[in-house]
Structure formats: structure tokens, C-alpha cells
Amino acid sequence: MTGLPPRRMVPAYLATGGRARPGHASLDRLTVLTAVDPSPADDLGPEHRSLHELLRAGALTLVEAAAHLRLPVSATGFLAADLVDAGKLQARTPIPRAQQIDHALVERLLVGLRTLR
């Protein structure tokens, strides 16, 4: 068992309180989470406190936070939604992908640059 991370003693579904849906609108995997309130989340569970402490150092996406906490992304989404509802975290939707590049325009640009030589 060398090199394996230690197993969680508490199943991930218990971290969410056994709920099937988060209280806040569901968060995307690439939602950027930032701690807003620096005071500790003492009124919430230990997993909530761990997430809040992690994000006090800086912003992370939901999937990055899940990796740090060694929780499934879905369970981390529940925790983050609870903290957003409590005013401890801010959630920013991911920036949409840029539009596709117009290859014809790029070709014309390259031809124009080559003629400048």
C-alpha cells in the first residue's frame, strides 16, 4: 500500500447530509470559487470548514477544490452551494469558450504578412 492516498473514513454522501439536490443552483465543474467572508464557518460541518479554509488562500475551480479535499465533484458542489448560500463563498460562472477561429481570415492575414517582407 505504498503511494496510495489514505481512504476517507466518512463516505462522501454523508458530507452532503444525504441530500440529492443542493440548495443553491447547481454549480459547473469550472465554476470559480472565492472566499468572501474571512471568518471561519463554525456553524457548518467539518467538510464545509475544510473547503472554506482551502479557499481563503485563493480562488479555485470546483473541480480543483474537490481534488484538494479528496471528495467527488458532486459532493464538493453541495458544500460550495451551502457556503454560497451562507455568504461565505462567491461563485463565478466559467468564462465561455471563445468562438471558432475563421481560418480563411487567418490565411489572408498570413498572405498579407508574407507580402510585407
Side-chain angles (χ1 to χ4, degrees), residues 46-102:
E47 288 84 8
H48 290 89
R49 283 194 298 274
S50 296
L51 177 59
H52 187 257
E53 285 293 319
L54 177 67
L55 294 170
R56 283 178 38 187
L60 290 173
T61 62
L62 180 65
V63 72
E64 290 170 326
H68 282 283
L69 296 175
R70 295 184 179 162
L71 281 172
V73 176
S74 57
T76 307
F78 276 82
L79 300 174
D82 291 344
L83 290 170
V84 167
D85 289 343
K88 302 282 185 183
L89 292 184
Q90 178 183 18
R92 188 187 68 194
T93 57
I95 299 170
R97 289 184 175 262
Q99 294 179 351
Q100 293 292 328
I101 297 171
D102 183 4

